[in-house]
Amino acid sequence: MSNKVIVSCALTGSIHTPSMSPHLPVTGADMVREGKAASDAGASILHLHARDPETGQPSADPAHWQGFYPQLAEQSDAILNMSTGGSAVMSLDDRLSASSQLQPEMASLNLGTMNFALYPLADRIKNWKHEWEEPFLRNSNDLVFKNTPRDIGEIVRTLDVRPTVFELECYDISHLYMLDHLANKGVLKPPFFLQFVLGVLGGAPPLPEVLYFLKNTADKLFGADYTFSVIGAGRAQMQMAALSIALGGHVRVGLEDNLYIAKGELATSNAQQVEKVKALIEANGKQVATPTETRELLGINPDTDTQTIERRYL
């Protein structure tokens, strides 16, 4: 299926705040609507975070996941990819509180501890909807997202019941070497699904030469035992998607990564970005992978949940 391109859609994330866009999903109903529409548009993976439906603040509360996860599982065949990153201000126990119960088909896994600087975003907002937003952003000038080798091992052990397939988030070249180290220790086993995240302040920039370097390094370390996708944060979203497609990779879009559909124009939905990248894929003579094809490409057994574990809806 070398002609198939997997489209992931990250619906809301924990970086952007409600004051930045009226279209950012916040409530459970928002997540279900946006997830279903993104799936219908061509996304075969939905990358999920939860928010407090009253304030829009990033949340690890299992009750907030309950407001949309079961409904999305019932209404869409897309792979539900739960974040284990949550928000950089959450503890590891908090970040795992919902996923440990749900044991999802897929979960994100950041491969290193890093600066995660969001504070420049605060200067763009004139009117704040909620009191938490401005301090959350400005205090990120002293924020470290912690994901040590011990943390990674704990995440893998916690989600090994199913087992869960990981979207391995690589923000820099060092993360590939950490993955190689963890693979040699048997913590993580190939084949790997790598997500190159480019454009976060604290990680590698969204430049073609950076993506070439990351891919060449992954080739050297993992050979044929990996598949890669690319995130271009902000304005680099579609440029990095186009380059990933040309290099034989996959793509991720969504309002977690970019609030805009064009320069100065807010995206009105996640599906709008999915449709745009789908047109880009087809213009390159390729096809969007279906959920069934994506499961085959990534080695996900869709029947595992019913054969070996009970559905853990909260």
Side-chain angles (χ1 to χ4, degrees):
M1 292 191 288
S2 60
N3 203 43
K4 300 291 185 177
V5 179
I6 297 168
V7 177
S8 298
C9 185
L11 300 183
T12 192
S14 63
I15 293 173
H16 296 125
T17 71
S19 296
M20 297 178 185
S21 172
H23 309 296
L24 186 71
V26 168
T27 68
D30 291 342
M31 304 293 186
V32 175
R33 182 189 68 251
E34 288 285 308
K36 181 66 166 56
S39 175
D40 290 345
S44 58
I45 298 175
L46 300 178
H47 176 88
L48 305 173
H49 288 247
R51 290 180 181 265
D52 183 318
E54 297 297 325
T55 66
Q57 192 165 9
S59 171
D61 188 341
H64 293 153
W65 284 91
Q66 183 185 12
F68 63 90
Y69 188 97
Q71 295 92 322
L72 271 179
E74 292 167 0
Q75 296 182 29
S76 169
D77 189 38
I79 297 160
L80 302 188
N81 175 6
M82 294 182 70
S83 170
T84 68
S87 170
V89 299
M90 297 175 185
S91 70
L92 181 61
D93 286 345
D94 285 342
R95 286 156 45 195
L96 288 173
S97 59
S99 57
S100 63
Q101 298 178 52
L102 291 166
Q103 295 289 323
E105 285 187 281
M106 179 177 285
S108 68
L109 177 55
N110 188 321
L111 288 169
T113 296
M114 59 182 290
N115 293 328
F116 218 100
L118 312 176
Y119 61 91
L121 297 174
D123 294 332
R124 306 176 189 177
I125 309 301
K126 303 303 179 185
N127 299 304
W128 300 94
K129 291 184 178 180
H130 305 287
E131 291 183 0
W132 66 269
E133 296 180 75
E134 185 172 14
F136 169 76
L137 295 172
R138 295 202 184 280
N139 288 338
S140 67
N141 66 353
D142 192 34
L143 180 65
V144 173
F145 178 79
K146 176 179 172 291
N147 230 38
T148 63
R150 183 183 297 179
D151 292 337
I152 293 170
E154 179 62 23
I155 292 168
V156 173
R157 284 190 295 273
T158 300
L159 298 182
D160 196 38
V161 174
R162 186 176 198 161
T164 291
V165 171
F166 290 102
E167 174 202 25
L168 298 165
E169 296 187 337
C170 303
Y171 290 76
D172 213 334
I173 193 71
S174 61
H175 292 180
L176 290 175
Y177 283 94
M178 177 56 70
L179 174 58
D180 185 52
H181 165 73
L182 293 169
N184 288 333
K185 290 179 65 67
V187 176
L188 288 162
K189 299 176 182 178
F192 303 120
F193 178 43
L194 304 181
Q195 187 71 259
F196 296 138
V197 187
L198 304 178
V200 173
L201 186 57
L207 300 172
E209 58 266 35
V210 172
L211 181 54
Y212 298 148
F213 187 35
L214 288 167
K215 184 182 182 301
N216 289 339
T217 302
D219 287 343
K220 179 179 71 174
L221 293 175
F222 311 122
D225 283 338
Y226 83 97
T227 301
F228 77 95
S229 177
V230 178
I231 298 168
R235 68 187 69 179
Q237 184 181 65
M238 291 299 162
Q239 295 96 317
M240 287 295 102
L243 186 53
S244 181
I245 295 164
L247 292 174
H250 306 282
V251 298
R252 190 176 104 174
V253 295
L255 298 182
E256 170 174 353
D257 305 324
N258 178 26
L259 292 175
Y260 291 82
I261 194 64
K263 185 176 180 180
E265 180 184 351
L266 288 171
T268 57
S269 69
N270 283 279
Q272 190 180 21
Q273 291 185 356
V274 174
E275 290 164 356
K276 184 173 182 177
V277 83
K278 180 181 178 181
L280 190 60
I281 291 165
E282 293 175 345
N284 279 270
K286 299 191 176 185
Q287 297 176 327
V288 172
T290 66
T292 297
E293 292 167 337
T294 298
R295 288 181 174 93
E296 182 177 345
L297 283 164
L298 300 182
I300 297 173
N301 183 351
D303 296 322
T304 300
D305 56 338
T306 57
Q307 290 179 357
T308 63
I309 64 170
E310 179 184 353
R311 287 301 268 196
R312 287 166 168 80
Y313 296 152
L314 307 179

